[in-house]
Amino acid sequence: MAELTEADAAQLHQEDVHIKRGDGGDAPSSGDQAAEQAARSEAAADNDAKPSTTTTDRHISIQTKLEGLEMLLDLNGAGRKSCPLCPEEKFKACYSHKLRRHLQNLHWKVYVEFEGQRMCICHLPCRNLKPSLSGDQASGRHVAHYHCIVCSVTIARKTDMISHLKRHVNKGETEASYSGSSDVPFEEPAPSGQACKIMKELGTNVQLLPNHTTPQKSDTYFNRKMKTNRQLVFCSLAVLAEERNPLECLDAFGATGIMGLQWAKHLRNAVKVTITDISDTCVKMIKENCELNHIRVDGGSRGPRGPDGTGGEVKGAPVATVEVAKMDANVIMHLRPFDYIHLDPFGTAVNYLDSAFRNVRNLGIISVTSTDTGSLYSKSPNVTLRHYGCHIVRTEYYKELAARMVVATVARAAARCNKGIEVLLAVALEHFVLVVVRVLRGPTQADESVKKLRKLVHCQWCEERVFLKQGNMVDDTLPCNCHGSLPGKTAVQLGPLWCGALFNTGFLRRMLSAAVQHSMDDIQPLVKTLICESECTTLKSFVHGPPALTNQVECGVVIKTLQGGEESGRADQTGKRKTGDEPGNVVKKLKSDASLEHPPFYYSIHRHSIRGMNMPKLNKFLQYLTEASFRVSRTHFDPTGVRTDATLEQFKSVLTKYSVPNATATQTSVSAEKTA
């Protein structure tokens, strides 16, 4: 009651003061001014104690571009200027060209990025002085530091600032004190009650929770670095939709639902998309994203979201229909058949392969994305043996080794269901391994696929490798002579691995056509590299070479490729074999194309360089190998890798022939001749 009385008295006092001012009375006394100022300071202190989400100003060390730092002072003017982030005693005033170099090399080069904003290092006296060795703080020195974009705290070390930001993300405190990102058009409450952001990719908008980058803390995980993966999967589905439609396709791990929404929004009536997830939060988020993109949820009662972000009816019919289900991936794949299945769990996908092959339709496609790079790239051999049943070591071709290991695991899962596979695409990049296979029903196809699983013999000294054939000894298999010239055993058996082709040229050409049609400029260079790698040709011959055949034979089905022209035959919409082709003729065609398969594995030109010799440029070296009658191409697995059918000894001989001694080797030889 006393508190209420004091509050009422304070309010009446403020009203009296305002009345006096309005009536033109005497000015308030100094005591009243002091009381009013004290009240304002207490209110400000209360506001500071509360968590603030909006602040108008920001520190000058936080910018979005380098030009933002340069705009802090006029670098085009004449005369000496001081650095805006350094005190005068640390960096004296200088001319514009030196100051621009100072801002770029000292402040901008060591920034910490967070949601499009870059926190540059600051040398201003924003922190307390660091005490000297004697403990005197007055004679100490200022410490360089960063200003946190979220809570404005100052942290000295870059690694500590990164850890500090991660703690903000784990707590969901990613809303900065100011907004400068153009990728986030508006914010609205998320299903979990947190503030969410809108991100646009390939014309599709999705809501993202603040902790969407941490899989352990968020169900609706979203990785921006997997954009290439999503576009490759989309192109493979677009190619299958050209063969037969409508397709029943499944995105088994929806999360935000962006992949399934992209399928439905761009392919429209050609696909019937089903997005599933086991999490209630994910299912609710997927439905919200469907409304955001004007896509009708099958069985949903709510209408699409309006253009202003609020609920309401939208003029016109929805662009597509998507079925959203809360169900385990293994359960839905056992219950329903699909033409296209995409598996992208967090980590390995081996636990879902049996269910995927159990009910997939004949000539359907299964795409598998594995993100457990620790076990795939030979960092955890025990986990690799446990998940994939393969023994591997770290090699120069470890990325292709990982791709062949995943394909071998997929082939074994298909064989258990009396199905075979044809590998259409295998990509291994920094963050993931993507494998796309076509399913072939029948025990005969399963037996043919299993025959392509072999052990790999790898020399640990020179890194020569060859697939082991039955009945051969290990030392007699390798073409190198390391086992005879060096003591002990030099070879090790790896695998079992997939020894067949990793690419289908006709399928890749149609993927390139789909990428051009849907304006996916990011993956077009990658797909062109894959086409050259599948044909084992250089990019120059791919661009300027003769046009490919009009029709491509895939698994006994004649399919039109990228080039137009008159169709000599048309595949049935259901994907059945053309009636005019006899099975014997198809087998002959496939056997004739077997010799044109790309050679397995590749060699790194830097790994096998000669000491004291300058190597030729990579494109020149490819030309030299072609002139030596070898098939050669570059590979997407390694920017310095060369895929060729030459042995390692032949590869080194061509490399040695066209290498030139460098200056150090020339001086050493001259000095040796003078000494002699």
Side-chain angles (χ1 to χ4, degrees), residues 467-485:
F467 280 107
L468 180 64
K469 298 180 181 179
Q470 295 182 358
N472 286 5
M473 301 297 293
V474 174
D475 292 340
D476 297 335
T477 303
L478 283 172
C480 66
N481 195 29
C482 296
H483 62 279
S485 58

Side-chain angles (χ1 to χ4, degrees), residues 63-71 100 103-104 108:
Q63 301 289 339
T64 57
K65 296 181 180 180
L66 177 60
E67 290 76 9
L69 284 179
E70 297 177 352
M71 289 174 61
R100 183 180 285 107
L103 291 174
Q104 181 175 0
W108 182 260

Side-chain angles (χ1 to χ4, degrees), residues 476-594:
D476 297 335
T477 303
L478 283 172
C480 66
N481 195 29
C482 296
H483 62 279
S485 58
L486 297 172
K489 294 183 179 180
T490 61
V492 62
Q493 288 191 15
L494 308 179
L497 304 172
W498 176 263
C499 67
L502 294 178
F503 313 100
N504 185 288
T505 307
F507 191 84
L508 289 173
R509 288 184 179 275
R510 291 185 290 146
M511 281 185 61
L512 179 60
S513 176
V516 173
Q517 179 182 354
H518 295 280
S519 302
M520 297 182 182
D521 300 331
D522 297 337
I523 65 168
Q524 290 180 23
L526 175 60
V527 177
K528 290 179 181 178
T529 304
L530 295 176
I531 294 174
C532 297
E533 193 172 356
S534 64
E535 297 178 340
C536 202
T537 56
T538 58
L539 185 61
K540 184 176 180 181
S541 61
F542 166 73
V543 176
H544 302 287
L549 295 176
T550 304
N551 294 315
Q552 176 77 19
V553 177
E554 294 180 14
C555 312
V557 182
V558 179
I559 302 168
K560 189 176 68 173
T561 58
L562 175 64
Q563 281 73 19
E566 298 294 333
E567 288 189 70
S568 59
R570 183 182 297 273
D572 190 78
Q573 293 292 336
T574 59
K576 296 181 180 179
R577 178 177 290 128
K578 205 180 66 168
T579 55
D581 282 342
E582 296 295 332
N585 297 334
V586 172
V587 173
K588 289 180 181 179
K589 290 181 181 179
L590 295 178
K591 286 184 177 180
S592 63
D593 293 340

Side-chain angles (χ1 to χ4, degrees), residues 125-137:
C126 307
R127 295 164 57 94
N128 294 328
L129 288 174
K130 185 176 181 180
S132 60
L133 295 177
S134 61
D136 186 11
Q137 188 172 3

Side-chain angles (χ1 to χ4, degrees), residues 59 118 138 221 262 291 296 443 511 521 558 606-607 642:
H59 196 264
R118 291 164 172 81
Y221 175 63
Q262 288 176 352
E291 297 176 2
R296 187 173 67 88
M511 281 185 61
D521 300 331
V558 179
H606 289 288
R607 167 66 176 81
V642 177

